[in-house]
Structure formats: C-alpha cells, structure tokens
Amino acid sequence: MQTALILSLRNQVHLITEEMICKLPSDSTLDHLRIDLLRAIKEHGANNETSSQHHTLFSSLLTKMTREERELHAKSQILEQLVFQDYRDREDRILAAHEETFKWVLTNDHRDGYEDKRWSGFVSWLRADGDPLYWVTGKPGSGKSTLMKFIVHNPVCAMRLAAWGGNVPILILRFYFWNSGANIQCSQEGLFRSLLHDAIKQRPEIASFLFPQRWDRWLLFGFDSKPWTLSELTGAFEVLVQRAKDMYKLCMFVDGLDEFEGSHNDLISLFKKAVSSPNVKVCVSSRPWAVFQENFARQPSLMLEDLTYPDILAYISANFDQHSGFAALQKREPEFASTLVENIAIKSRGVFLWVHLVVSSLLGGLSNFDRVVDLQRRLDELPADLENFYAKILDTIDPFYEKHAGQLFSIVAASKGKLTALGLSFTEEDTANERLFETDQISPLSPGEVALRIQIVRRRLSSRCKGLIEIPSDSYSSPRTRPARATARASSLSGGTQSDVTLESLRPVSYLHRTAKDYLKTKEAKIKIETMAAGYTPYSALTKSTLLMAKALPLEAQQWFTLSELVQQALDYASTATTARMSVESKIIDELGKFAHALTHRDSQDFSADGFLPLLAKHNLHPYMLEKIQNRVEIFRDQARRPLLWRIVAEYKQYPSLCELELLEEGHLAPAIDIMQHISRNNPEPNSVIDGESPWSMILKECIAVARRVRAAAQRESNELNHWASLIEIFIKMGADPRMNRNSEQGSCIREAFGWLLPSRAKKLEKLLNTSKRRWSLARRFILPIFTEAPPDSSDAIPLSFASGDGALTPPVRKENRCRSPLCDSTMPVERILESAIIAGEEHARGTRHLAPRGYWDQRKKLGKPRSKISCREYGESLDFGNKRPPPVS
C-alpha cells in the first residue's frame, strides 16, 4: 500500500476494519507505521475529529512513513546497483556435493586416522577465536569449489559459527573467482561488490555508513546513476571490516584465489589486513601455488586430496549401484566388482573430476555389457592424470567431425564466456540463419523453434567435442543474474512468465572444468585444434550470431539480455577480430547498423549521441572505417563544420578505429597513416583554425609531447616516433604552413620532436619544409610571421612610417624583428625583406646587412664567412637557391 493512498482513506473510513488491519504484514518498521496510521485514521475519522492534535499525529506518522519508505528505496537501489551481470553464475555452475561426500568437514569425523595429513579441524576453527584465516587447498579437480559451496550453504556451518558469534549476529559472505567468465568475475571489483551486496542484504541498515555520499544522494534526489569506482568499493569494504564489532561479525568464504586476474600478493594482503580486525574470519581456497604456500603455510588448512578417499569410494559405489549392468556384474563377478571400485579410487589420487570422467566411461561399457576383461582394459588405458585424459578425449573425435569440432572449440575460446546455447545455434551456416540475417525485421523465435535449436546444439556438442565443452544442466534456476530494473520491460511484454525453454536456451556454453580449459590452451592442444579448424576465424561467426540472436531473442529472454547489450557485444567481437588481425565481413557490420537504426526507432534507444558510425569508431574497426572513408561516407554528423582531418587529429584518442593498428597492439594511440593518406588526396586544409587550433598546429604539439614521453622512458628506438614523423611528412605535402614549425623553444618543432632520436629523419623533414616554404614565398602566400608569444603592446611596435603603393598601411613590426642595420629604414619584418630580396634577385637596401631569423648563424658557419659579412641575398642563396636566379613571380 503506497503512502499517498493512505491519505485518501480518511474519506473512506468505513472500509477500514480491524480484520483488514490484522491481515497486513507486520515484519518491518514501515509495516508497523502503516498499521498505526490506519488505526489512527479509523479511530479519529469515525468520530469526525479534526483537532490540531489529530493533524499533528497524522503528520508525524506520515513523515515517519515517508522517511522510512525513502530509506528502504535507497537500500534496495544500492543493493541493485551492486549486483552485476552473472554475479552468481560461478556458484550456480558448481555441482552440488554428492549426498555421501564432505559431511566430515563439519563434523570432524576424519580426525581419527588422518593425523599425518594436512588437516586442521574446520569445526574448531568455526567455533573458536583462534587463527582467523583458514586455507583450503588441493590439486586441480579435487573438489575445492564444491567443498566451499557445500560449507556455505550447509545450515550446520551457521550453527557452528553461532558459538563464535555469541549474541552478535554473523554475516556470512561468499565469492567465487572465475577466470572463465566475465572480467568482473575474476577482479577485485567483482569481489567487493559481491561481498558488500551480501552484507547489506543481511543487514540493510549498514548501507548508510558503507556508502554515505551515495546514500545522501539517494535521499535527496531519489536516484544516483554514478558508476562504481574501485576506490569507493575499497573504502566501503574497509568500513565494513572496521565496523565488525558489537553490531555484527563477519565470516567470508572466497573460492579460487588462483583464478584472480591481478596481483596475488595484493589479494593476500587484503585478506590478511581484514582478519587483523577483531570479529572477522576468512576462509579461502586455491591451488597449492608457491605464493599461497608461502603466505598460508602456518595458517589452519587442509589438503583436500588427502582426505577424500572415503568420499570417492562412496561416490563410485553410489553411481555404480544405480546401474543395472553393475548389479549384474556383482552377481557374476562379485570380487572383481569390489576390486574395480577400489582400483578407481586408488588411481584417482584424490581428483574427483577424474573419477567423474572414468565412472562415466565405465558406465558406458556396462551399458554395452562389456566383459570383465573389457572393463579392466578400459580402466588401464585411461590416463591417470587429467591432461593426458583430455588429450585422449581429443584423439577420439570422429575424423568426419574434426573440422566442425575445431570450429566449435575456436568459437567457445573466442567468446570469452559470453556465448549462450541459443547464440551457439546461430553460429551454424544454414539456410534458416541466412534468411534471418537478410531480414530487416525483429522477429522473436517461438518456444518450439528455440527448443529445437537447443536440442540440436546439445547433440552436436556431445558428438563433436566429446564432453569437453558442454551446456550446463538444469542444476540452477536462472542462466544470468539481472537487476530488477532491467527486467521490467521484458516482464511486461512477456506477461511476466519464464518458460523452461527460454532458461535452457540462455545457459552459457562452458568448458567441462577449468582444467579442461587450461588443457585446451596448451600449445599442443591449440596446434591440434587449429589443424582441425583449417584456418577458420570465429569472430565473424560470433558477430553474426550475436546479431541474429538480437533479432530473434524471445521477449521473456530480455530479462537477462537487452537488445542494446547484444549490439554492444557484437561490436566487441568485431573489434577483437580487428585486434587479432582477423576480418569481419563489412556486410555483417552494415546489417548491425541497420538493426541498431531499427531498434532506435522502435524502442527510442540511441546508441550514440553522434550516430552509429561514431559508436563504431570508438571500437577497433579500422578496416571497416577506412572502407567507409574511401567511399566518401560521412562518419560524423557535423563533418561539414568540423572536417574529418581536424576531428582525427583533435580526438583520435577517443576513436581507436581511426588509429594505427600496429601501434594499438603496442598500447599507443596515433592517427592511422592509411586514413591520413586518403584524406590528403582530397585537398584538405591543414591550416584551417577551429576552436583556436588547426590540424597542423595540433599535430606538431602531439609530436613534441610524444617525443618527450619517449625520451623520458629512455627509449633508443621508437616505432611510435617514426609513425608521427610520417604524419608530419603527410602534412607538409598537404600544404601545411611552414611558419608554424617555428613555435618551439628550439626554433623548430620538427627538430625538437625528432632531432634527438631521429636526427636524419628530422633533417629530411626540415628540408622538405624549406622547399614548401620557398613555394609559399614564390606564390606570395606569406603576409605576416607567426609568433608564439602574445600580441605586442602598442609601446613595443614601430610607428607606421609609410604606405604601400595602393595606399594600404603596412602593419607595425616589433623592434626585435626588424632589420638592425643603421642604413636600413624599412619597417617591414626582416623575413619579408629577405623574401623580397630573393624574389627580386637583388640585395635589399644596396647591400646592407639585415637581422636574419633563427638559423642565420648556422648558415654563416656553413658558408665560412665572418659574422658581419653575410647579406640578405647570400642568406637566401644558402637556403637552397644557390647561384640560380629564382623564377619570376607572376
């Protein structure tokens, strides 16, 4: 019931009954306030009392309710913002522990007989105030994640912790690192957001002091769209730990520290600092890497493979006992049946995953009524370690399906965990997909069509990839975690229903286990898969698949995927293809643009304020963008006002598609040579000034900035600097103003940028610029010199002393820039005098010497003349004219 509706009840008091009030929920403070207000309205409204005392009572209750509602809304919104896509995905993928396994960890049953193993009582750690950090370690595939999930969700764990907590509530927080999923799932940001979400969900009142600034914005404005920063999340986590005193205690379970994509030492320091605060416990799990052994060796711990032999026996027996073939084997060969179970457990060496694979293989043999000798041979031929086991699985792929299997392995590897079962079905080259690609309509698939596609995909994966890649079963309820706000539109369109078919179709395609992924990334496996795939490039298929999925996504599925997210995902695949030097067909990206345009008109979703092509430019789609530029397609809407040349030089850092690919791979950004060369063929204007800068002036400044950075890094060679030198050459040939080169402390921007590391290149560029300068002089394009300093004051200028022949006044010239000869009374700039002398072919002012610009004394040394013996004419000749008379100017 909304607060606004309660006021209207005063006019309908007869509708309020005690029976109705008793049926209202009374769990929260807000519920109690509502009940109090309804009773007050019922009591005073029935008597028609309207005294000031009653108004004060109603006002007080309404104020409290409004404040409580606003705070509840702020808490729920902060919780929703902390949730990220797939934030429970990893936990949901971990298979639940078999009912006969891992019970010992919460009962200490394994204590007897395992004193020589690495085993510290876990129950005593939960109950006591001793060492606050516990380390679960073990081989890959030994079941560490399954154990952590079992502990977290077992009610016995909370009961044991209650003894440690006493009268203080305990917040149980958990996170599972996973480097096969999205980047955030193996990052510190993902860790903090998950732990903080769990804490606020259990104690909503702590949100106000964990995020005080965000809390105030929610209360004042009712919204806050500011994205999370790592510093804000780190600060909130530190406050959460520091406040763990009388208000609550913390127990955190963090799985897969070895899957964290960052500094493991920093992660370890984070947890060590956390447990240094009172009332904080942390249980972590990881592989037994050196970095973890060094830091956790003295902490309470257990080595999982040393303790799971009875669990493995129970698991094997439970699976075999359910199979009729094994029951028959027990009757025929009871001794062999018993020995078979023990042999599997011994050979497993504590690796649960290996046991799972072997049991599946042997159950297949039992279904085929294999003989005892056949079953024993199966077991003997199976490698004892996982890597060799996976290699054997790869070798058993049917040669007829090898090419398709290689393509599927390549697609899943390139998808980085983002591929769904439905998305995989769209990677196939078939007629239905081509028809969908060519249509301009957004037409969701029917449940029947989706079910058929998923059935086909499952069978193809099974026959081609032999279980190394799979679609998870229905062991968890939803394929992705989405904020409630994101589901509103989809729920309204689909009637709020979620079919099992839709959930099945959106399950992510994944590897059997992280060890399978690790094996498929080895050099040997990658070579084999590349040979199988025969030069197949997966990114075109993934880009096209994501586009088709967006076109055909069922409405109810948009609770997990929005169409705009799919467009962005398609662009990410295309961008990755460019980075990997693989091409995505232009027609796929063109079709993506058409779809985005249609989506903009249908749902009012504008992908970019400047249009779709600028959005493409922000991704690495260089070949596609070059093709559009060559076809004279306008990339930006305001290209008439801000030419493409100016835009590229001014904003190239925002648009990777307009940057050089080779430098992008090195982590540097610079305008692309091929794009600049094409632009130069269309007679651009490099000297046109927009917003106070010309492309030529900006490119010179960028060159100097890059050169300073390269010198600061003490680099001897630099591809980046060579690239910028090539850009300068293009600009000079475009007709860049030679005078702009003087805007440098050294008198030459080119010399300042390239003279240190590329001296020969700098000389060639200056020579090219001098040639351009003479062309400008002959064409009489020079009017006034360019100064980097501020305009001179009137007191620092020479008074106007003469007019030109047409009556126009000559502009004033700064004293230090005119001829210093006492015999020369010209007020013209000295460079203009020199140019006039060269063009006229005679010395100015009857052989008098003039003040030359920078470079004068270098020329004097080259000519071997004393300081006072070089004239304007000689200086001009030394530039490059020699003794030849320059051509007459028309």
Side-chain angles (χ1 to χ4, degrees):
M1 185 180 296
Q2 300 296 320
T3 300
L5 295 179
I6 296 177
L7 285 173
S8 66
L9 292 176
R10 289 193 61 185
N11 298 323
Q12 302 181 29
V13 178
H14 63 281
L15 298 177
I16 304 175
T17 64
E18 190 63 31
E19 182 181 0
M20 181 196 78
I21 294 175
C22 292
K23 290 181 179 179
L24 293 174
S26 57
D27 300 326
S28 67
T29 304
L30 182 60
D31 292 333
H32 287 293
L33 287 171
R34 286 172 177 164
I35 291 172
D36 291 343
L37 182 60
L38 284 172
R39 283 188 171 139
I41 292 173
K42 179 176 180 295
E43 178 183 349
H44 300 292
N47 300 326
N48 291 321
E49 297 178 6
T50 57
S51 66
S52 59
Q53 181 180 359
H54 299 146
H55 281 299
T56 302
L57 174 63
F58 293 142
S59 177
S60 173
L61 288 171
L62 283 172
T63 300
K64 290 179 181 178
M65 285 183 59
T66 302
R67 182 172 59 250
E68 187 69 21
E69 283 180 336
R70 187 174 296 176
E71 290 182 357
L72 281 176
H73 179 67
K75 293 170 187 175
S76 66
Q77 292 304 309
I78 289 175
L79 267 180
E80 183 179 327
Q81 286 181 324
L82 285 169
V83 173
F84 57 85
Q85 193 166 284
D86 302 328
Y87 103 113
R88 286 290 183 234
D89 181 41
R90 172 54 178 155
E91 184 181 55
D92 292 336
R93 286 171 181 263
I94 300 170
L95 294 177
H98 190 272
E99 59 182 356
E100 298 299 326
T101 60
F102 294 145
K103 293 179 180 179
W104 49 269
V105 74
L106 293 173
T107 60
N108 276 354
D109 287 347
H110 268 263
R111 175 63 73 181
D112 298 333
Y114 283 82
E115 290 80 2
D116 59 329
K117 304 298 183 182
R118 290 193 56 180
W119 159 247
S120 303
F122 189 72
V123 172
S124 58
W125 178 81
L126 290 174
R127 296 171 58 93
D129 284 325
D131 290 317
L133 193 146
Y134 196 101
W135 180 37
V136 175
T137 187
K139 296 178 182 177
S142 59
K144 298 182 294 296
S145 297
T146 303
L147 175 64
M148 293 289 280
K149 182 177 179 179
F150 171 82
I151 293 171
V152 168
H153 293 283
N154 196 308
V156 177
C157 175
M159 291 170 56
R160 304 300 187 200
L161 282 171
W164 168 62
N167 297 325
V168 180
I170 296 174
L171 307 185
I172 299 178
L173 321 178
R174 84 267 195 193
F175 181 70
Y176 302 81
F177 283 111
W178 194 42
N179 64 9
S180 296
N183 291 336
I184 196 171
Q185 292 176 279
C186 52
S187 70
Q188 204 169 61
E189 179 186 349
L191 169 71
F192 286 149
R193 287 174 67 171
S194 291
L195 296 180
L196 291 167
H197 176 274
D198 285 356
I200 296 175
K201 190 172 183 180
Q202 296 173 56
R203 303 285 293 187
E205 65 273 14
I206 69 177
S208 59
F209 61 76
L210 292 183
F211 305 103
Q213 295 179 348
R214 195 174 289 264
W215 177 262
D216 290 341
R217 287 194 294 269
W218 272 109
L219 293 184
L220 286 173
F221 308 113
F223 72 95
D224 181 21
S225 58
K226 184 180 178 182
W228 294 109
T229 62
L230 187 58
S231 59
E232 182 182 11
L233 293 169
T234 303
F237 179 76
E238 291 174 352
V239 173
L240 176 70
V241 169
Q242 293 167 3
R243 297 290 288 268
K245 295 179 181 178
D246 298 333
M247 191 175 182
Y248 55 81
K249 291 186 177 183
L250 292 177
C251 185
M252 293 179 271
F253 294 88
V254 183
D255 176 56
L257 266 59
D258 50 285
E259 301 199 42
F260 172 62
E261 295 290 344
S263 169
H264 290 110
N265 282 316
D266 290 346
L267 187 64
I268 292 167
S269 298
L270 175 73
F271 291 124
K272 283 189 172 182
K273 183 179 178 181
V275 297
S276 66
S277 298
N279 300 330
V280 177
K281 285 179 180 286
V282 177
C283 176
V284 297
S285 75
S286 72
R287 294 180 179 182
W289 289 357
V291 64
F292 301 119
Q293 289 181 354
E294 181 181 347
N295 285 278
F296 298 148
R298 298 180 181 178
Q299 303 292 334
S301 62
L302 64 83
M303 182 72 76
L304 192 54
E305 62 264 27
D306 291 344
L307 304 169
T308 52
Y309 181 78
D311 291 341
I312 290 173
L313 283 175
Y315 175 82
I316 298 169
S317 299
N319 280 274
F320 280 169
D321 289 346
Q322 295 174 5
H323 197 280
S324 59
F326 187 75
L329 179 66
Q330 285 179 312
K331 291 179 180 179
R332 298 195 317 269
E333 301 284 347
E335 185 177 348
F336 174 77
S338 176
T339 305
L340 179 65
V341 172
E342 292 183 4
N343 287 343
I344 296 172
I346 293 171
K347 193 173 182 180
S348 72
R349 293 185 291 183
V351 180
F352 251 110
L353 179 61
W354 185 91
V355 174
H356 170 73
L357 296 172
V358 169
V359 167
S360 297
S361 175
L362 292 176
L363 287 177
L366 289 170
S367 297
N368 297 330
F369 294 97
D370 281 1
R371 300 169 298 172
V372 169
V373 64
D374 296 328
L375 292 172
Q376 186 61 51
R377 186 160 59 87
R378 271 182 186 268
L379 180 60
D380 293 339
E381 290 181 357
L382 291 175
D385 64 283
L386 283 174
E387 187 168 316
N388 289 329
F389 199 114
Y390 293 140
K392 183 176 179 64
I393 292 176
L394 210 58
D395 290 336
T396 62
I397 295 174
D398 188 331
F400 182 79
Y401 292 133
E402 275 192 353
K403 183 176 181 179
H404 192 197
Q407 293 175 353
L408 290 171
F409 283 123
S410 300
I411 287 170
V412 174
S415 70
K416 304 293 184 184
K418 298 177 182 177
L419 187 64
T420 63
L422 184 60
L424 182 60
S425 75
F426 287 121
T427 62
E428 304 293 346
E429 299 177 0
D430 56 31
T431 307
N433 286 345
E434 287 302 317
R435 282 200 305 268
L436 182 59
F437 177 75
E438 292 170 2
T439 182
D440 293 333
Q441 298 179 351
I442 302 174
S443 51
L445 294 176
S446 67
E449 292 173 314
V450 172
L452 179 60
R453 282 180 173 272
I454 302 311
Q455 183 182 4
I456 293 172
V457 164
R458 279 191 180 280
R459 292 188 178 181
R460 284 177 178 169
L461 281 178
S462 176
S463 60
R464 274 69 163 177
C465 301
K466 298 295 183 180
L468 292 177
I469 294 173
E470 62 179 7
I471 299 170
S473 64
D474 56 354
S475 58
Y476 57 96
S477 59
S478 62
R480 294 159 63 92
T481 303
R482 295 282 296 163
R485 185 169 45 191
T487 68
R489 179 179 179 277
S491 295
S492 62
L493 291 174
S494 63
T497 60
Q498 302 176 16
S499 69
D500 293 338
V501 172
T502 301
L503 295 175
E504 187 77 8
S505 68
L506 299 184
R507 299 194 190 284
V509 179
S510 63
Y511 295 98
L512 169 66
H513 188 263
R514 181 189 166 189
T515 52
K517 176 188 174 183
D518 291 343
Y519 167 72
L520 293 173
K521 289 171 67 177
T522 62
K523 184 177 180 180
E524 175 190 356
K526 288 173 73 174
I527 291 173
K528 183 173 181 61
I529 290 171
E530 288 172 3
T531 304
M532 293 163 59
Y536 178 75
T537 55
Y539 293 104
S540 283
L542 284 168
T543 305
K544 187 175 180 179
S545 162
T546 310
L547 171 60
L548 295 180
M549 186 170 173
K551 286 185 174 183
L553 190 68
L555 292 177
E556 57 190 28
Q558 293 179 36
Q559 297 180 57
W560 294 280
F561 291 95
T562 65
L563 300 187
S564 58
E565 283 178 341
L566 290 173
V567 172
Q568 290 286 354
Q569 185 173 312
L571 291 177
D572 289 340
Y573 284 138
S575 178
T576 306
T578 305
T579 304
R581 298 302 179 94
M582 300 178 184
S583 60
V584 173
E585 296 176 74
S586 295
K587 66 177 184 180
I588 297 178
I589 303 177
D590 287 339
E591 192 63 32
L592 190 63
K594 293 178 184 177
F595 174 78
H597 180 73
L599 196 60
T600 299
H601 284 277
R602 195 194 78 170
D603 297 344
S604 299
Q605 298 187 39
D606 196 359
F607 291 91
S608 173
D610 298 323
F612 190 68
L613 282 177
L615 176 63
L616 297 182
K618 291 180 179 179
H619 293 73
N620 186 7
L621 299 172
H622 178 81
Y624 179 81
M625 202 58 58
L626 176 62
E627 179 184 326
K628 292 299 177 184
I629 292 172
Q630 290 173 340
N631 292 334
R632 298 181 179 274
V633 176
E634 285 199 355
I635 307 300
F636 301 94
R637 291 174 179 172
D638 62 347
Q639 207 158 297
R641 188 172 64 87
R642 295 173 181 268
L644 186 59
L645 177 66
W646 187 93
R647 175 85 70 168
I648 291 176
V649 177
E651 302 175 358
Y652 68 91
K653 293 179 181 178
Q654 301 177 30
Y655 302 107
S657 287
L658 305 177
C659 293
E660 190 71 24
L661 278 176
E662 291 184 2
L663 292 181
L664 273 176
E665 293 173 358
E666 299 175 8
H668 303 304
L669 292 170
I673 293 289
D674 48 7
I675 290 179
M676 300 299 278
Q677 286 176 335
H678 177 77
I679 292 175
S680 70
R681 300 187 191 108
N682 297 320
N683 300 319
E685 180 47 66
N687 306 307
S688 61
V689 177
I690 300 174
D691 294 341
E693 293 277 10
S694 68
W696 175 228
S697 66
M698 289 188 287
I699 206 84
L700 287 171
K701 290 178 182 178
E702 287 292 320
C703 287
I704 292 173
V706 170
R708 288 173 179 169
R709 175 166 51 79
V710 171
R711 286 200 298 269
Q715 296 180 15
R716 290 291 181 183
E717 297 181 1
S718 173
N719 293 332
E720 184 183 11
L721 206 56
N722 266 307
H723 178 87
W724 284 98
S726 299
L727 290 174
I728 291 292
E729 184 175 345
I730 291 173
F731 266 80
I732 294 173
K733 293 177 179 178
M734 258 187 230
D737 188 344
R739 297 169 297 178
M740 193 63 67
N741 184 50
R742 284 181 262 150
N743 292 345
S744 164
E745 295 176 356
Q746 298 183 20
S748 168
C749 294
I750 292 175
R751 193 181 311 137
E752 182 177 350
F754 309 111
W756 181 261
L757 290 176
L758 306 172
S760 59
R761 191 78 187 269
K763 289 180 181 178
K764 290 179 181 179
L765 290 175
E766 288 204 313
K767 185 175 181 180
L768 184 64
L769 192 64
N770 285 333
T771 303
S772 174
K773 182 178 179 180
R774 288 193 296 275
R775 292 196 191 98
W776 276 56
S777 297
L778 294 173
R780 300 181 182 273
R781 295 182 65 183
F782 289 122
I783 298 176
L784 287 173
I786 302 299
F787 296 103
T788 58
E789 59 265 26
D793 298 331
S794 58
S795 60
D796 195 31
I798 300 295
L800 298 176
S801 59
F802 69 94
S804 59
D806 58 358
L809 294 176
T810 304
V813 180
R814 299 186 62 163
K815 293 177 182 178
E816 63 268 26
N817 198 51
R818 66 170 184 159
C819 178
R820 66 159 62 105
S821 170
L823 300 178
C824 180
D825 59 354
S826 174
T827 58
M828 293 176 63
V830 67
E831 288 188 349
R832 187 73 180 120
I833 296 172
L834 293 174
E835 291 157 12
S836 301
I838 295 170
I839 294 171
E842 59 185 17
E843 294 183 16
H844 173 71
R846 299 178 183 178
T848 56
R849 286 82 175 170
H850 299 283
L851 174 65
R854 291 186 177 102
Y856 177 98
W857 305 117
D858 292 337
Q859 297 298 333
R860 178 188 62 78
K861 290 179 182 178
K862 288 182 180 178
L863 294 174
K865 294 193 176 184
R867 185 177 180 116
S868 60
K869 293 295 183 180
I870 186 168
S871 68
C872 299
R873 170 60 180 253
E874 291 167 334
Y875 177 77
E877 289 175 343
S878 71
L879 290 179
D880 219 7
F881 279 94
N883 294 320
K884 297 179 182 179
R885 183 181 180 87
V889 180
S890 58

